[in-house]
Amino acid sequence: MNRRTAAPLLLLAASSLVALTACSPAATEPADASGADADAVSIALVRQIGSGDYFEQWLAGAEAEAERLGVDLSVSDANNDDAQQALDVESAVNAGVDAIVVDHGFTETLQPQVAAALDAGIPVVGFDVDTGDERAISVSQSDHDLARAVLDRLVEDTGGEGEVLYVYVAGYAPLDRRDEVWQDVLEENPGLEQVAQVGVVNDSTAAGVADQAKAALQANPGTTAIFAPYDEFAKGATLAVQELGLEDSVRIYGADISTADIEVLTAEGSPWVATAATDPANVAAVTVRAAYLAATGGDVPASVEVSPTLLTAEDLRERGVTTIAELTDAFPELTTDDVVPVD
């Protein structure tokens, strides 16, 4: 997840990319997997935040795809420091890399550096971020579809009636897109009432949300559902429900997935009953492929979206899924090798 422009979690949410670099290698075939080729494509991955299971899985997927393509991938993590992320983009430009991937961030702090990169002929691919430059390529999950899938399940389970606690932080592009769907669902189902909104995004998001959600649940004892459209939000909400002993009366509907999330979802008596997600490692691979093709003169769409899948706790248990690797075997639609393929 990531932020959109402030004139614009969470908010994973977050994303944009591309332009041809003057220093791109002529070859369009993947380099040797060793990455030792002096002519290997160099890609700088500039991250706003790397903490949390989703982001760790995402990075693992990016590194694996870079290795497969023989890409020289350098990674920087600004640890939620927006000014540092802008400096990291500037450093990548000065280093003369072949392409830059911007992972989440703020439009207002990134736009000047992104423009400088594109002006220098360096393609920029943004994941879950609005870079503020139409020349950049955008990669994202289909956040509207993601929110709709899990909210349809919430409406089905509640009959479209009941008090709902909402976990949300404005300003993050994927969360803002998910919020648009939530507002639509409230209009479509007047029997649903949002009784409170909580949310925080930091290096301890789940713990912070747990404290806020616990207080909100105590203040609103009629709550029967929680919409928490980011996995760290959902884990925090789960902690709050469990600490209050409300597992039998409150259900949680989340978003995103990781191995740690699967453990929470499939635990006996877990109140987190459904999530909608893409495979973070797969989305990262799509992003790296887009940057690779942009750097080597390949054909890349200006905007790339990866479709999500609804995953219920019941389905995960029935299929014996315990890890992300098992998840993609059980739900093969999560792997999208046909999206921005590299032949």
Side-chain angles (χ1 to χ4, degrees), residues 27-111:
T28 58
E29 293 299 318
D32 181 77
S34 68
D37 189 343
D39 294 326
V41 172
S42 59
I43 298 176
L45 170 55
V46 181
R47 316 191 79 196
Q48 187 222 24
I49 184 171
S51 61
D53 297 320
Y54 180 90
F55 293 105
E56 291 170 5
Q57 296 277 353
W58 199 95
L59 177 59
E63 291 175 333
E65 189 68 354
E67 181 177 1
R68 186 184 76 84
L69 296 173
V71 164
D72 179 7
L73 183 70
S74 59
V75 181
S76 60
D77 183 354
N79 294 312
N80 232 2
D81 183 332
D82 301 312
Q84 181 60 52
Q85 188 185 23
L87 289 174
D88 290 341
V89 175
E90 183 177 346
S91 295
V93 174
N94 293 336
V97 297
D98 296 320
I100 298 172
V101 171
V102 178
D103 177 9
H104 289 79
F106 272 143
T107 305
E108 60 269 26
T109 55
L110 289 170
Q111 193 277 331

Side-chain angles (χ1 to χ4, degrees), residues 139-143 278 282-283 286 304-308 334 336 339:
V139 175
S140 66
Q141 305 176 89
S142 180
D143 290 292
T278 57
N282 174 69
V283 176
V286 170
V304 179
E305 280 194 337
V306 180
S307 297
L334 287 167
T336 59
V339 177

Side-chain angles (χ1 to χ4, degrees), residues 1-4 9-11 13 169-176 201:
M1 65 103 285
N2 62 304
R3 309 178 182 179
R4 75 179 176 191
L9 29 214
L10 123 181
L11 48 211
V169 176
Y172 291 87
L175 289 185
D176 291 341
V201 178

Side-chain angles (χ1 to χ4, degrees), residues 44 47 50-51 73 127 156 159 173 181 186 194 216 239 243 266 273 280 290 313-314 319:
R47 316 191 79 196
S51 61
L73 183 70
F127 172 65
E156 178 183 340
V181 179
L186 286 175
Q194 178 182 309
L239 287 172
E243 288 180 7
T266 58
V273 296
E314 182 181 6
R319 302 186 191 193

Side-chain angles (χ1 to χ4, degrees), residues 1-337:
M1 65 103 285
N2 62 304
R3 309 178 182 179
R4 75 179 176 191
T5 174
L9 29 214
L10 123 181
L11 48 211
L12 67 102
S15 323
S16 312
L17 346 132
V18 104
L20 258 181
T21 172
C23 55
S24 300
T28 58
E29 293 299 318
D32 181 77
S34 68
D37 189 343
D39 294 326
V41 172
S42 59
I43 298 176
L45 170 55
V46 181
R47 316 191 79 196
Q48 187 222 24
I49 184 171
S51 61
D53 297 320
Y54 180 90
F55 293 105
E56 291 170 5
Q57 296 277 353
W58 199 95
L59 177 59
E63 291 175 333
E65 189 68 354
E67 181 177 1
R68 186 184 76 84
L69 296 173
V71 164
D72 179 7
L73 183 70
S74 59
V75 181
S76 60
D77 183 354
N79 294 312
N80 232 2
D81 183 332
D82 301 312
Q84 181 60 52
Q85 188 185 23
L87 289 174
D88 290 341
V89 175
E90 183 177 346
S91 295
V93 174
N94 293 336
V97 297
D98 296 320
I100 298 172
V101 171
V102 178
D103 177 9
H104 289 79
F106 272 143
T107 305
E108 60 269 26
T109 55
L110 289 170
Q111 193 277 331
Q113 286 73 25
V114 168
L118 293 165
D119 289 344
I122 301 174
V124 175
V125 176
F127 172 65
D128 264 354
V129 62
D130 178 359
T131 62
D133 198 308
E134 293 182 353
R135 296 173 293 170
I137 297 170
S138 172
V139 175
S140 66
Q141 305 176 89
S142 180
D143 290 292
H144 291 109
D145 290 347
L146 183 151
R148 176 59 69 173
V150 76
L151 284 171
D152 282 350
R153 183 56 183 256
L154 183 154
V155 171
E156 178 183 340
D157 289 348
T158 62
E161 296 184 349
E163 297 183 1
V164 183
L165 172 62
Y166 182 34
V167 189
Y168 170 59
V169 176
Y172 291 87
L175 289 185
D176 291 341
R177 291 190 290 264
R178 297 169 195 185
D179 177 66
E180 291 170 359
V181 179
W182 171 236
Q183 300 308 321
D184 289 343
V185 168
L186 286 175
E187 289 187 15
E188 296 161 3
N189 298 274
L192 289 177
E193 178 188 0
Q194 178 182 309
V195 294
Q197 177 185 316
V198 300
V200 63
V201 178
N202 54 33
D203 289 338
S204 303
T205 296
V209 167
D211 291 339
Q212 294 178 347
K214 186 174 179 180
L217 288 168
Q218 290 172 320
N220 298 278
T223 300
T224 58
I226 299 176
F227 179 41
Y230 168 46
D231 60 344
E232 295 299 306
F233 287 175
K235 284 188 288 190
T238 298
L239 287 172
V241 170
Q242 291 173 333
E243 288 180 7
L244 294 174
L246 299 176
E247 294 93 332
D248 293 335
S249 59
V250 179
R251 292 174 173 174
I252 298 166
Y253 301 82
D256 305 323
I257 196 72
S258 70
T259 294
D261 298 338
I262 293 170
E263 182 178 354
V264 177
L265 279 156
T266 58
E268 184 177 356
S270 175
W272 187 1
V273 296
T275 192
T278 57
D279 173 22
N282 174 69
V283 176
V286 170
T287 305
V288 170
R289 290 199 298 272
Y292 176 87
L293 287 173
T296 57
D299 184 18
V300 188
S303 179
V304 179
E305 280 194 337
V306 180
S307 297
T309 297
L310 178 67
L311 306 167
T312 67
E314 182 181 6
D315 285 342
L316 292 169
R317 293 189 194 102
E318 286 182 354
R319 302 186 191 193
V321 176
T322 60
T323 68
I324 281 287
E326 295 169 350
L327 180 70
T328 53
D329 289 339
F331 299 88
E333 62 269 30
L334 287 167
T335 300
T336 59
D337 293 335

